[in-house]
Amino acid sequence: VQLVESGGWLVQAGGSLRLSCAASGLTFSSYAMAWFRQAPGKEREFVAAITTSGGDTYYADSVKGRFTISRDNAKNTVYLQMNSLKPEETAVYYCAARGRDGLASKQREYAFWGQGTQVTVSS
């Protein structure tokens, strides 16, 4: 199984980025997916999750209304659209795959992880 994130970049506060995570080696449409992030000196934290069909989503309170998680099962890819970014959201963003349907915010629920992509938000 391989999860490869991309799209991380340097952006000014208030700007937008779209992250992508391409999955291979698994039946993507059978896996719920999520995004987590880890800021320097902090623990990794949940950002957003999406069900296998993409019909249901769940967000951390801190990103509700600004971030959107989506997926394209035909392309084996999950996305994270991030708007109105804040400097404190500078972090490495990881995608993760869960071997069953449903929404979960706990890291232990996810069996597979990508290497991460760096997002830097300048003030």
Side-chain angles (χ1 to χ4, degrees):
V1 175
Q2 194 171 19
L3 303 177
V4 179
E5 301 95 336
S6 61
W9 204 246
L10 170 64
V11 63
Q12 287 190 333
S16 298
L17 280 177
R18 188 175 86 150
L19 305 183
S20 300
C21 171
S24 60
L26 75 170
T27 305
F28 183 71
S29 59
S30 297
Y31 283 74
M33 300 295 294
W35 287 94
F36 290 78
R37 65 187 179 190
Q38 186 167 21
K42 295 189 176 181
E43 293 186 356
R44 191 156 55 184
E45 64 175 2
F46 170 76
V47 176
I50 189 166
T51 52
T52 55
S53 68
D56 204 3
T57 56
Y58 176 52
Y59 297 92
D61 287 344
S62 59
V63 306
K64 275 181 191 174
R66 298 186 298 117
F67 288 17
T68 303
I69 187 171
S70 62
R71 65 190 294 160
D72 185 338
N73 285 347
K75 294 183 178 179
N76 287 5
T77 301
V78 62
Y79 305 96
L80 184 68
Q81 176 67 42
M82 306 186 294
N83 299 328
S84 302
L85 282 160
K86 304 174 183 179
E88 56 265 36
E89 294 180 311
T90 292
V92 178
Y93 283 71
Y94 299 90
C95 70
R98 181 176 189 232
R100 57 189 179 117
D101 207 354
L103 300 168
S105 61
K106 302 294 185 186
Q107 295 182 53
R108 63 175 181 267
E109 296 283 346
Y110 293 87
F112 303 108
W113 292 80
Q115 297 281 3
T117 186
Q118 176 71 47
V119 172
T120 303
V121 185
S122 64
S123 57

